[in-house]
PDB file of all heavy atoms in Angstrom:
ATOM      1  N   THR P 246     -16.433   1.020 -31.436  1.00 97.00           N
ATOM      2  CA  THR P 246     -16.719  -0.237 -32.144  1.00 97.00           C
ATOM      3  C   THR P 246     -16.440  -1.444 -31.308  1.00 97.00           C
ATOM      4  O   THR P 246     -16.521  -2.568 -31.699  1.00 97.00           O
ATOM      5  CB  THR P 246     -15.978  -0.319 -33.469  1.00 97.00           C
ATOM      6  OG1 THR P 246     -14.577  -0.151 -33.199  1.00 97.00           O
ATOM      7  CG2 THR P 246     -16.475   0.708 -34.539  1.00 97.00           C
ATOM      8  N   ALA P 247     -15.847  -1.229 -30.099  1.00 96.00           N
ATOM      9  CA  ALA P 247     -15.473  -2.353 -29.217  1.00 96.00           C
ATOM     10  C   ALA P 247     -16.686  -3.281 -29.025  1.00 96.00           C
ATOM     11  O   ALA P 247     -17.747  -2.837 -28.484  1.00 96.00           O
ATOM     12  CB  ALA P 247     -14.969  -1.804 -27.935  1.00 96.00           C
ATOM     13  N   GLY P 248     -16.483  -4.534 -29.274  1.00 96.00           N
ATOM     14  CA  GLY P 248     -17.545  -5.480 -29.100  1.00 96.00           C
ATOM     15  C   GLY P 248     -18.609  -5.570 -30.145  1.00 96.00           C
ATOM     16  O   GLY P 248     -19.486  -6.394 -30.115  1.00 96.00           O
ATOM     17  N   LEU P 249     -18.445  -4.764 -31.201  1.00 97.00           N
ATOM     18  CA  LEU P 249     -19.408  -4.765 -32.315  1.00 97.00           C
ATOM     19  C   LEU P 249     -18.931  -5.690 -33.396  1.00 97.00           C
ATOM     20  O   LEU P 249     -17.784  -5.533 -33.908  1.00 97.00           O
ATOM     21  CB  LEU P 249     -19.615  -3.356 -32.859  1.00 97.00           C
ATOM     22  CG  LEU P 249     -20.175  -2.325 -31.905  1.00 97.00           C
ATOM     23  CD1 LEU P 249     -20.400  -0.985 -32.589  1.00 97.00           C
ATOM     24  CD2 LEU P 249     -21.499  -2.855 -31.282  1.00 97.00           C
ATOM     25  N   GLN P 250     -19.760  -6.633 -33.839  1.00 97.00           N
ATOM     26  CA  GLN P 250     -19.353  -7.677 -34.754  1.00 97.00           C
ATOM     27  C   GLN P 250     -18.855  -7.062 -36.050  1.00 97.00           C
ATOM     28  O   GLN P 250     -17.866  -7.547 -36.715  1.00 97.00           O
ATOM     29  CB  GLN P 250     -20.433  -8.659 -34.964  1.00 97.00           C
ATOM     30  CG  GLN P 250     -20.084  -9.792 -35.880  1.00 97.00           C
ATOM     31  CD  GLN P 250     -21.189 -10.881 -35.992  1.00 97.00           C
ATOM     32  OE1 GLN P 250     -22.152 -10.816 -35.259  1.00 97.00           O
ATOM     33  NE2 GLN P 250     -21.003 -11.868 -36.813  1.00 97.00           N
ATOM     34  N   ASP P 251     -19.600  -6.053 -36.582  1.00 98.00           N
ATOM     35  CA  ASP P 251     -19.347  -5.542 -37.896  1.00 98.00           C
ATOM     36  C   ASP P 251     -18.496  -4.271 -37.908  1.00 98.00           C
ATOM     37  O   ASP P 251     -18.377  -3.543 -38.852  1.00 98.00           O
ATOM     38  CB  ASP P 251     -20.655  -5.302 -38.635  1.00 98.00           C
ATOM     39  CG  ASP P 251     -21.275  -6.625 -38.926  1.00 98.00           C
ATOM     40  OD1 ASP P 251     -20.634  -7.627 -39.130  1.00 98.00           O
ATOM     41  OD2 ASP P 251     -22.611  -6.587 -38.945  1.00 98.00           O
ATOM     42  N   GLY P 252     -17.881  -3.988 -36.692  1.00 97.00           N
ATOM     43  CA  GLY P 252     -16.976  -2.844 -36.620  1.00 97.00           C
ATOM     44  C   GLY P 252     -17.677  -1.544 -36.987  1.00 97.00           C
ATOM     45  O   GLY P 252     -18.799  -1.254 -36.616  1.00 97.00           O
ATOM     46  N   VAL P 253     -17.025  -0.747 -37.809  1.00 97.00           N
ATOM     47  CA  VAL P 253     -17.524   0.579 -38.207  1.00 97.00           C
ATOM     48  C   VAL P 253     -18.719   0.458 -39.130  1.00 97.00           C
ATOM     49  O   VAL P 253     -19.476   1.438 -39.335  1.00 97.00           O
ATOM     50  CB  VAL P 253     -16.409   1.433 -38.950  1.00 97.00           C
ATOM     51  CG1 VAL P 253     -15.274   1.808 -38.033  1.00 97.00           C
ATOM     52  CG2 VAL P 253     -15.948   0.702 -40.216  1.00 97.00           C
ATOM     53  N   ARG P 254     -19.052  -0.687 -39.619  1.00 97.00           N
ATOM     54  CA  ARG P 254     -20.285  -0.917 -40.394  1.00 97.00           C
ATOM     55  C   ARG P 254     -21.396  -1.464 -39.581  1.00 97.00           C
ATOM     56  O   ARG P 254     -22.478  -1.741 -40.155  1.00 97.00           O
ATOM     57  CB  ARG P 254     -19.953  -1.925 -41.531  1.00 97.00           C
ATOM     58  CG  ARG P 254     -18.866  -1.456 -42.492  1.00 97.00           C
ATOM     59  CD  ARG P 254     -19.133  -0.117 -43.137  1.00 97.00           C
ATOM     60  NE  ARG P 254     -17.995   0.347 -43.925  1.00 97.00           N
ATOM     61  CZ  ARG P 254     -17.901   1.568 -44.372  1.00 97.00           C
ATOM     62  NH1 ARG P 254     -18.858   2.434 -44.162  1.00 97.00           N
ATOM     63  NH2 ARG P 254     -16.825   1.938 -45.116  1.00 97.00           N
ATOM     64  N   ASP P 255     -21.145  -1.680 -38.290  1.00 97.00           N
ATOM     65  CA  ASP P 255     -22.212  -2.216 -37.443  1.00 97.00           C
ATOM     66  C   ASP P 255     -23.333  -1.207 -37.277  1.00 97.00           C
ATOM     67  O   ASP P 255     -23.086   0.008 -37.054  1.00 97.00           O
ATOM     68  CB  ASP P 255     -21.659  -2.605 -36.108  1.00 97.00           C
ATOM     69  CG  ASP P 255     -22.517  -3.624 -35.351  1.00 97.00           C
ATOM     70  OD1 ASP P 255     -23.527  -3.190 -34.868  1.00 97.00           O
ATOM     71  OD2 ASP P 255     -22.164  -4.771 -35.223  1.00 97.00           O
ATOM     72  N   LYS P 256     -24.601  -1.669 -37.302  1.00 96.00           N
ATOM     73  CA  LYS P 256     -25.740  -0.757 -37.091  1.00 96.00           C
ATOM     74  C   LYS P 256     -25.729  -0.107 -35.694  1.00 96.00           C
ATOM     75  O   LYS P 256     -26.380   0.925 -35.526  1.00 96.00           O
ATOM     76  CB  LYS P 256     -27.037  -1.530 -37.306  1.00 96.00           C
ATOM     77  CG  LYS P 256     -27.288  -2.594 -36.333  1.00 96.00           C
ATOM     78  CD  LYS P 256     -28.654  -3.293 -36.623  1.00 96.00           C
ATOM     79  CE  LYS P 256     -28.835  -4.462 -35.596  1.00 96.00           C
ATOM     80  NZ  LYS P 256     -28.881  -4.031 -34.205  1.00 96.00           N
ATOM     81  N   ASP P 257     -25.123  -0.704 -34.745  1.00 97.00           N
ATOM     82  CA  ASP P 257     -25.042  -0.184 -33.418  1.00 97.00           C
ATOM     83  C   ASP P 257     -23.898   0.795 -33.142  1.00 97.00           C
ATOM     84  O   ASP P 257     -23.709   1.266 -32.033  1.00 97.00           O
ATOM     85  CB  ASP P 257     -25.031  -1.309 -32.393  1.00 97.00           C
ATOM     86  CG  ASP P 257     -26.288  -2.098 -32.335  1.00 97.00           C
ATOM     87  OD1 ASP P 257     -27.403  -1.482 -32.603  1.00 97.00           O
ATOM     88  OD2 ASP P 257     -26.292  -3.384 -32.095  1.00 97.00           O
ATOM     89  N   PHE P 258     -23.123   1.002 -34.127  1.00 98.00           N
ATOM     90  CA  PHE P 258     -22.025   2.017 -34.065  1.00 98.00           C
ATOM     91  C   PHE P 258     -22.630   3.399 -34.316  1.00 98.00           C
ATOM     92  O   PHE P 258     -23.042   3.721 -35.421  1.00 98.00           O
ATOM     93  CB  PHE P 258     -20.929   1.716 -35.052  1.00 98.00           C
ATOM     94  CG  PHE P 258     -19.803   2.654 -35.041  1.00 98.00           C
ATOM     95  CD1 PHE P 258     -19.328   3.189 -33.806  1.00 98.00           C
ATOM     96  CD2 PHE P 258     -19.098   3.005 -36.197  1.00 98.00           C
ATOM     97  CE1 PHE P 258     -18.223   4.049 -33.750  1.00 98.00           C
ATOM     98  CE2 PHE P 258     -17.996   3.882 -36.162  1.00 98.00           C
ATOM     99  CZ  PHE P 258     -17.586   4.382 -34.921  1.00 98.00           C
ATOM    100  N   THR P 259     -22.828   4.163 -33.244  1.00 98.00           N
ATOM    101  CA  THR P 259     -23.552   5.492 -33.350  1.00 98.00           C
ATOM    102  C   THR P 259     -22.717   6.461 -32.573  1.00 98.00           C
ATOM    103  O   THR P 259     -21.685   6.263 -32.023  1.00 98.00           O
ATOM    104  CB  THR P 259     -24.859   5.324 -32.649  1.00 98.00           C
ATOM    105  OG1 THR P 259     -24.733   5.010 -31.211  1.00 98.00           O
ATOM    106  CG2 THR P 259     -25.773   4.191 -33.327  1.00 98.00           C
ATOM    107  N   GLY P 260     -23.263   7.715 -32.676  1.00 98.00           N
ATOM    108  CA  GLY P 260     -22.766   8.819 -31.862  1.00 98.00           C
ATOM    109  C   GLY P 260     -21.551   9.576 -32.475  1.00 98.00           C
ATOM    110  O   GLY P 260     -21.372   9.566 -33.728  1.00 98.00           O
ATOM    111  N   PHE P 261     -20.862  10.214 -31.658  1.00 98.00           N
ATOM    112  CA  PHE P 261     -19.803  11.086 -32.132  1.00 98.00           C
ATOM    113  C   PHE P 261     -18.763  10.317 -32.956  1.00 98.00           C
ATOM    114  O   PHE P 261     -18.295  10.888 -34.013  1.00 98.00           O
ATOM    115  CB  PHE P 261     -19.001  11.712 -30.939  1.00 98.00           C
ATOM    116  CG  PHE P 261     -19.659  12.928 -30.426  1.00 98.00           C
ATOM    117  CD1 PHE P 261     -20.319  12.993 -29.165  1.00 98.00           C
ATOM    118  CD2 PHE P 261     -19.697  14.138 -31.156  1.00 98.00           C
ATOM    119  CE1 PHE P 261     -20.882  14.171 -28.663  1.00 98.00           C
ATOM    120  CE2 PHE P 261     -20.357  15.268 -30.709  1.00 98.00           C
ATOM    121  CZ  PHE P 261     -20.926  15.257 -29.448  1.00 98.00           C
ATOM    122  N   HIS P 262     -18.366   9.142 -32.565  1.00 98.00           N
ATOM    123  CA  HIS P 262     -17.320   8.416 -33.211  1.00 98.00           C
ATOM    124  C   HIS P 262     -17.855   7.875 -34.643  1.00 98.00           C
ATOM    125  O   HIS P 262     -17.034   7.772 -35.598  1.00 98.00           O
ATOM    126  CB  HIS P 262     -16.730   7.313 -32.380  1.00 98.00           C
ATOM    127  CG  HIS P 262     -15.937   7.852 -31.250  1.00 98.00           C
ATOM    128  ND1 HIS P 262     -14.854   8.733 -31.381  1.00 98.00           N
ATOM    129  CD2 HIS P 262     -16.062   7.659 -29.899  1.00 98.00           C
ATOM    130  CE1 HIS P 262     -14.410   9.025 -30.198  1.00 98.00           C
ATOM    131  NE2 HIS P 262     -15.144   8.414 -29.271  1.00 98.00           N
ATOM    132  N   ARG P 263     -19.078   7.547 -34.710  1.00 98.00           N
ATOM    133  CA  ARG P 263     -19.719   7.183 -35.956  1.00 98.00           C
ATOM    134  C   ARG P 263     -19.617   8.328 -37.012  1.00 98.00           C
ATOM    135  O   ARG P 263     -19.208   8.213 -38.201  1.00 98.00           O
ATOM    136  CB  ARG P 263     -21.136   6.720 -35.825  1.00 98.00           C
ATOM    137  CG  ARG P 263     -21.859   6.487 -37.147  1.00 98.00           C
ATOM    138  CD  ARG P 263     -21.266   5.350 -37.934  1.00 98.00           C
ATOM    139  NE  ARG P 263     -21.939   5.292 -39.243  1.00 98.00           N
ATOM    140  CZ  ARG P 263     -21.505   5.893 -40.381  1.00 98.00           C
ATOM    141  NH1 ARG P 263     -20.451   6.695 -40.350  1.00 98.00           N
ATOM    142  NH2 ARG P 263     -22.137   5.681 -41.525  1.00 98.00           N
ATOM    143  N   VAL P 264     -19.969   9.482 -36.477  1.00 98.00           N
ATOM    144  CA  VAL P 264     -19.918  10.675 -37.378  1.00 98.00           C
ATOM    145  C   VAL P 264     -18.492  11.011 -37.664  1.00 98.00           C
ATOM    146  O   VAL P 264     -18.104  11.442 -38.856  1.00 98.00           O
ATOM    147  CB  VAL P 264     -20.609  11.938 -36.707  1.00 98.00           C
ATOM    148  CG1 VAL P 264     -20.413  13.192 -37.522  1.00 98.00           C
ATOM    149  CG2 VAL P 264     -22.152  11.591 -36.456  1.00 98.00           C
ATOM    150  N   GLU P 265     -17.597  10.906 -36.688  1.00 98.00           N
ATOM    151  CA  GLU P 265     -16.183  11.157 -36.917  1.00 98.00           C
ATOM    152  C   GLU P 265     -15.604  10.250 -38.015  1.00 98.00           C
ATOM    153  O   GLU P 265     -14.926  10.751 -39.023  1.00 98.00           O
ATOM    154  CB  GLU P 265     -15.349  10.944 -35.656  1.00 98.00           C
ATOM    155  CG  GLU P 265     -13.876  11.079 -35.839  1.00 98.00           C
ATOM    156  CD  GLU P 265     -13.145  10.563 -34.593  1.00 98.00           C
ATOM    157  OE1 GLU P 265     -13.754   9.935 -33.690  1.00 98.00           O
ATOM    158  OE2 GLU P 265     -11.892  10.826 -34.516  1.00 98.00           O
ATOM    159  N   TYR P 266     -16.037   9.035 -38.004  1.00 98.00           N
ATOM    160  CA  TYR P 266     -15.484   8.063 -39.000  1.00 98.00           C
ATOM    161  C   TYR P 266     -15.915   8.500 -40.358  1.00 98.00           C
ATOM    162  O   TYR P 266     -15.070   8.499 -41.326  1.00 98.00           O
ATOM    163  CB  TYR P 266     -15.990   6.683 -38.702  1.00 98.00           C
ATOM    164  CG  TYR P 266     -15.494   5.647 -39.731  1.00 98.00           C
ATOM    165  CD1 TYR P 266     -14.230   5.129 -39.615  1.00 98.00           C
ATOM    166  CD2 TYR P 266     -16.299   5.324 -40.801  1.00 98.00           C
ATOM    167  CE1 TYR P 266     -13.751   4.249 -40.603  1.00 98.00           C
ATOM    168  CE2 TYR P 266     -15.891   4.395 -41.782  1.00 98.00           C
ATOM    169  CZ  TYR P 266     -14.637   3.858 -41.661  1.00 98.00           C
ATOM    170  OH  TYR P 266     -14.178   2.999 -42.595  1.00 98.00           O
ATOM    171  N   GLY P 267     -17.164   8.847 -40.498  1.00 98.00           N
ATOM    172  CA  GLY P 267     -17.652   9.281 -41.808  1.00 98.00           C
ATOM    173  C   GLY P 267     -17.044  10.492 -42.297  1.00 98.00           C
ATOM    174  O   GLY P 267     -16.656  10.611 -43.537  1.00 98.00           O
ATOM    175  N   LEU P 268     -16.871  11.519 -41.417  1.00 98.00           N
ATOM    176  CA  LEU P 268     -16.308  12.809 -41.881  1.00 98.00           C
ATOM    177  C   LEU P 268     -14.859  12.640 -42.346  1.00 98.00           C
ATOM    178  O   LEU P 268     -14.405  13.484 -43.172  1.00 98.00           O
ATOM    179  CB  LEU P 268     -16.421  13.822 -40.700  1.00 98.00           C
ATOM    180  CG  LEU P 268     -17.794  14.320 -40.414  1.00 98.00           C
ATOM    181  CD1 LEU P 268     -17.781  15.209 -39.078  1.00 98.00           C
ATOM    182  CD2 LEU P 268     -18.325  15.154 -41.514  1.00 98.00           C
ATOM    183  N   TRP P 269     -14.147  11.798 -41.727  1.00 98.00           N
ATOM    184  CA  TRP P 269     -12.696  11.668 -42.058  1.00 98.00           C
ATOM    185  C   TRP P 269     -12.360  10.458 -42.917  1.00 98.00           C
ATOM    186  O   TRP P 269     -11.213  10.146 -43.118  1.00 98.00           O
ATOM    187  CB  TRP P 269     -11.809  11.639 -40.798  1.00 98.00           C
ATOM    188  CG  TRP P 269     -11.565  13.090 -40.319  1.00 98.00           C
ATOM    189  CD1 TRP P 269     -10.513  13.822 -40.697  1.00 98.00           C
ATOM    190  CD2 TRP P 269     -12.339  13.816 -39.424  1.00 98.00           C
ATOM    191  NE1 TRP P 269     -10.573  15.065 -40.071  1.00 98.00           N
ATOM    192  CE2 TRP P 269     -11.691  15.123 -39.235  1.00 98.00           C
ATOM    193  CE3 TRP P 269     -13.476  13.557 -38.687  1.00 98.00           C
ATOM    194  CZ2 TRP P 269     -12.148  16.164 -38.409  1.00 98.00           C
ATOM    195  CZ3 TRP P 269     -14.014  14.622 -37.881  1.00 98.00           C
ATOM    196  CH2 TRP P 269     -13.353  15.887 -37.769  1.00 98.00           C
ATOM    197  N   HIS P 270     -13.422   9.886 -43.399  1.00 98.00           N
ATOM    198  CA  HIS P 270     -13.180   8.645 -44.308  1.00 98.00           C
ATOM    199  C   HIS P 270     -13.973   8.774 -45.646  1.00 98.00           C
ATOM    200  O   HIS P 270     -14.400   7.807 -46.269  1.00 98.00           O
ATOM    201  CB  HIS P 270     -13.488   7.321 -43.660  1.00 98.00           C
ATOM    202  CG  HIS P 270     -12.467   6.916 -42.619  1.00 98.00           C
ATOM    203  ND1 HIS P 270     -12.439   7.417 -41.366  1.00 98.00           N
ATOM    204  CD2 HIS P 270     -11.336   6.076 -42.761  1.00 98.00           C
ATOM    205  CE1 HIS P 270     -11.461   6.920 -40.735  1.00 98.00           C
ATOM    206  NE2 HIS P 270     -10.749   6.089 -41.551  1.00 98.00           N
ATOM    207  N   GLY P 271     -14.304  10.032 -46.013  1.00 97.00           N
ATOM    208  CA  GLY P 271     -14.860  10.335 -47.365  1.00 97.00           C
ATOM    209  C   GLY P 271     -16.335   9.909 -47.492  1.00 97.00           C
ATOM    210  O   GLY P 271     -16.761   9.837 -48.661  1.00 97.00           O
ATOM    211  N   GLU P 272     -17.117   9.780 -46.435  1.00 98.00           N
ATOM    212  CA  GLU P 272     -18.531   9.453 -46.609  1.00 98.00           C
ATOM    213  C   GLU P 272     -19.258  10.707 -47.119  1.00 98.00           C
ATOM    214  O   GLU P 272     -18.869  11.862 -46.813  1.00 98.00           O
ATOM    215  CB  GLU P 272     -19.135   8.916 -45.315  1.00 98.00           C
ATOM    216  CG  GLU P 272     -18.699   7.498 -44.954  1.00 98.00           C
ATOM    217  CD  GLU P 272     -19.536   6.997 -43.860  1.00 98.00           C
ATOM    218  OE1 GLU P 272     -20.664   7.417 -43.634  1.00 98.00           O
ATOM    219  OE2 GLU P 272     -19.000   6.010 -43.175  1.00 98.00           O
ATOM    220  N   SER P 273     -20.328  10.539 -47.846  1.00 98.00           N
ATOM    221  CA  SER P 273     -21.080  11.609 -48.367  1.00 98.00           C
ATOM    222  C   SER P 273     -21.979  12.249 -47.290  1.00 98.00           C
ATOM    223  O   SER P 273     -22.293  11.594 -46.247  1.00 98.00           O
ATOM    224  CB  SER P 273     -22.001  11.165 -49.494  1.00 98.00           C
ATOM    225  OG  SER P 273     -22.970  10.264 -49.022  1.00 98.00           O
ATOM    226  N   ALA P 274     -22.391  13.489 -47.475  1.00 98.00           N
ATOM    227  CA  ALA P 274     -23.314  14.175 -46.498  1.00 98.00           C
ATOM    228  C   ALA P 274     -24.615  13.352 -46.369  1.00 98.00           C
ATOM    229  O   ALA P 274     -25.180  13.267 -45.277  1.00 98.00           O
ATOM    230  CB  ALA P 274     -23.583  15.533 -46.967  1.00 98.00           C
ATOM    231  N   SER P 275     -25.096  12.774 -47.461  1.00 98.00           N
ATOM    232  CA  SER P 275     -26.355  12.083 -47.397  1.00 98.00           C
ATOM    233  C   SER P 275     -26.278  10.787 -46.458  1.00 98.00           C
ATOM    234  O   SER P 275     -27.212  10.473 -45.675  1.00 98.00           O
ATOM    235  CB  SER P 275     -26.817  11.679 -48.737  1.00 98.00           C
ATOM    236  OG  SER P 275     -25.867  10.818 -49.376  1.00 98.00           O
ATOM    237  N   SER P 276     -25.083  10.140 -46.524  1.00 98.00           N
ATOM    238  CA  SER P 276     -24.884   8.951 -45.635  1.00 98.00           C
ATOM    239  C   SER P 276     -24.691   9.345 -44.217  1.00 98.00           C
ATOM    240  O   SER P 276     -24.856   8.462 -43.289  1.00 98.00           O
ATOM    241  CB  SER P 276     -23.673   8.157 -46.183  1.00 98.00           C
ATOM    242  OG  SER P 276     -22.450   8.854 -45.892  1.00 98.00           O
ATOM    243  N   LEU P 277     -24.330  10.615 -43.950  1.00 98.00           N
ATOM    244  CA  LEU P 277     -24.100  11.001 -42.528  1.00 98.00           C
ATOM    245  C   LEU P 277     -25.273  11.722 -41.930  1.00 98.00           C
ATOM    246  O   LEU P 277     -25.170  11.975 -40.724  1.00 98.00           O
ATOM    247  CB  LEU P 277     -22.828  11.990 -42.536  1.00 98.00           C
ATOM    248  CG  LEU P 277     -21.472  11.252 -42.689  1.00 98.00           C
ATOM    249  CD1 LEU P 277     -20.371  12.261 -42.815  1.00 98.00           C
ATOM    250  CD2 LEU P 277     -21.201  10.290 -41.515  1.00 98.00           C
ATOM    251  N   ARG P 278     -26.301  11.998 -42.695  1.00 98.00           N
ATOM    252  CA  ARG P 278     -27.400  12.759 -42.114  1.00 98.00           C
ATOM    253  C   ARG P 278     -28.092  11.902 -40.999  1.00 98.00           C
ATOM    254  O   ARG P 278     -28.469  12.473 -40.044  1.00 98.00           O
ATOM    255  CB  ARG P 278     -28.391  13.165 -43.219  1.00 98.00           C
ATOM    256  CG  ARG P 278     -27.916  14.344 -44.085  1.00 98.00           C
ATOM    257  CD  ARG P 278     -29.017  14.976 -44.995  1.00 98.00           C
ATOM    258  NE  ARG P 278     -28.418  15.999 -45.726  1.00 98.00           N
ATOM    259  CZ  ARG P 278     -28.060  15.979 -47.001  1.00 98.00           C
ATOM    260  NH1 ARG P 278     -28.218  14.784 -47.698  1.00 98.00           N
ATOM    261  NH2 ARG P 278     -27.610  17.015 -47.646  1.00 98.00           N
ATOM    262  N   GLY P 279     -28.297  10.645 -41.281  1.00 98.00           N
ATOM    263  CA  GLY P 279     -28.869   9.824 -40.269  1.00 98.00           C
ATOM    264  C   GLY P 279     -28.122   9.773 -38.998  1.00 98.00           C
ATOM    265  O   GLY P 279     -28.600  10.009 -37.918  1.00 98.00           O
ATOM    266  N   PRO P 280     -26.752   9.312 -38.960  1.00 98.00           N
ATOM    267  CA  PRO P 280     -25.960   9.340 -37.811  1.00 98.00           C
ATOM    268  C   PRO P 280     -25.949  10.640 -37.106  1.00 98.00           C
ATOM    269  O   PRO P 280     -26.013  10.680 -35.819  1.00 98.00           O
ATOM    270  CB  PRO P 280     -24.552   8.894 -38.307  1.00 98.00           C
ATOM    271  CG  PRO P 280     -24.880   8.069 -39.538  1.00 98.00           C
ATOM    272  CD  PRO P 280     -26.088   8.780 -40.196  1.00 98.00           C
TER     273      PRO P 280
END
Side-chain angles (χ1 to χ4, degrees):
T246 55
L249 299 183
Q250 183 175 354
D251 296 326
V253 295
R254 302 302 176 191
D255 198 289
K256 64 179 178 59
D257 292 325
F258 181 36
T259 63
F261 276 112
H262 292 303
R263 170 63 184 93
V264 176
E265 176 189 11
Y266 179 83
L268 287 173
W269 275 272
H270 285 85
E272 288 191 22
S273 65
S275 60
S276 69
L277 284 173
R278 286 191 179 104

